[in-house]
Amino acid sequence: LGDVRTALAATALSVTSPLQLALGRRALSDEMFCAVFLFALWALVRAARADPPSRARRYALSVVPTAFVLSVKETSLLAAPGVLAAIYLLRGRRFERGDLLLVVLAVVIWYLGFALLSGSASTLFEVFGAENVGTKNAPYVEGYNSGPPHRILSDFFLVAPLTTAIALIAVAFALFEWKELSPGLRALLVVLVWTLVATSLSPVKNLRYAVNSDGLIRALAAWFVVERFLPAFGRSWGVALAAGNALYELWIFHRAFITGGVYDPVTAELARALSMTP
């Protein structure tokens, strides 16, 4: 969605993400979800930008990782409106039948795969019911995973203050310069904002459910560094910014998740480990 320099800067910012380093140490699906989500998004973007002769083939190939994302974390379906809006922008403000068909086919493949593996056509819906019952009025959810919509963004500031601040500055610049932005950057901004809103409005607010937004936050921050910071301050300051941020985030990771022993990155545990509460 950006150029090569932005991609390299996003990589430099991503490798020290405290949240992703922490979730990568857990035997759960969160970091895997982040990886397959970004891969599916990449496949969708390639399909949307393809010329008509190869578009159908790329769409067919992108259905598989999209269905796989749903199988890893079914709540990823909440990102569909933001992804479709991004494709709309990449296409020059127009839709094609294949865009909506892609989402429908991915859902069908996901359901059929689950039904075949479980040997039941209704088990998936029973799982949804069990998840709802297990979540509703659960003491841990009410005590540690509730709160106002801005809680997710506040938690991002706890684990990645500088990167999150740069990303928010980038959002402000992008909104003021919307007409001058490339379609790719517009699409990135739309997907990021939608995924954050969807996670923030969820009844279960936990930073690990927003790990896919972490990669997008870092990509947008990288765009600001490359397109706005470097031209104004020079490459040396850009290198210093990246190095300083890396050291700071590695310190946060070690302090919160190694020394502090945080297992679930909820606000209370992060604030305790970082000595931000009495």
Side-chain angles (χ1 to χ4, degrees), residues 111-112 114-126:
Y111 168 73
L112 290 177
F114 192 99
L116 288 172
L117 291 172
S118 64
S120 170
S122 61
T123 301
L124 182 61
F125 304 103
E126 294 172 4

Side-chain angles (χ1 to χ4, degrees), residues 33-278:
F33 163 62
C34 180
V36 296
F37 177 86
L38 294 177
F39 179 71
L41 182 61
W42 172 81
L44 284 170
V45 170
R46 280 175 55 85
R49 285 177 165 171
D51 296 326
S54 59
R55 186 172 297 162
R57 176 174 55 85
R58 288 193 177 181
Y59 262 130
L61 293 174
S62 65
V63 167
V64 177
T66 304
F68 188 50
V69 171
L70 293 172
S71 71
V72 173
K73 193 178 288 291
E74 65 277 2
T75 53
S76 58
L77 189 60
L78 295 172
V83 172
L84 288 174
I87 293 175
Y88 175 77
L89 293 172
L90 289 172
R91 284 270 176 71
R93 297 174 180 259
R94 61 187 177 87
F95 270 126
E96 292 186 0
R97 285 178 296 179
D99 300 330
L100 295 175
L101 184 62
L102 175 66
V103 177
V104 173
L105 282 177
V107 173
V108 170
I109 292 172
W110 164 50
Y111 168 73
L112 290 177
F114 192 99
L116 288 172
L117 291 172
S118 64
S120 170
S122 61
T123 301
L124 182 61
F125 304 103
E126 294 172 4
V127 169
F128 289 159
E131 288 181 344
N132 185 52
V133 171
T135 301
K136 192 175 182 179
N137 299 324
Y140 182 78
V141 173
E142 290 187 349
Y144 292 93
N145 291 272
S146 59
H150 62 267
R151 171 178 172 172
I152 295 296
L153 191 58
S154 299
D155 288 353
F156 270 119
F157 270 107
L158 289 178
V159 297
L162 184 56
T163 303
T164 305
I166 294 173
L168 284 181
I169 295 171
V171 170
F173 269 79
L175 291 177
F176 280 111
E177 302 172 4
W178 181 260
K179 293 183 178 180
E180 288 75 36
L181 290 181
S182 68
L185 264 298
R186 291 180 185 179
L188 172 62
L189 184 62
V190 166
V191 174
L192 170 58
V193 170
W194 179 263
T195 55
L196 278 176
V197 168
T199 309
S200 298
L201 295 179
S202 169
V204 181
K205 297 175 178 64
N206 191 311
L207 196 58
R208 66 185 181 91
Y209 297 145
V211 63
N212 57 327
S213 298
D214 182 85
L216 300 174
I217 285 173
R218 291 170 187 277
L220 191 63
W223 166 78
F224 179 82
V225 170
V226 169
E227 297 295 332
R228 297 295 178 269
F229 187 85
L230 292 183
F233 296 98
R235 184 177 298 179
S236 298
W237 279 105
V239 172
L241 176 66
N245 181 67
L247 291 173
Y248 187 30
E249 290 195 335
L250 289 173
W251 178 83
I252 291 175
F253 164 68
H254 193 272
R255 176 70 180 268
F257 299 101
I258 304 298
T259 306
V262 172
Y263 181 70
D264 199 17
V266 295
T267 309
E269 288 298 303
L270 289 172
R272 172 192 60 76
L274 295 172
S275 301
M276 299 181 73
T277 54

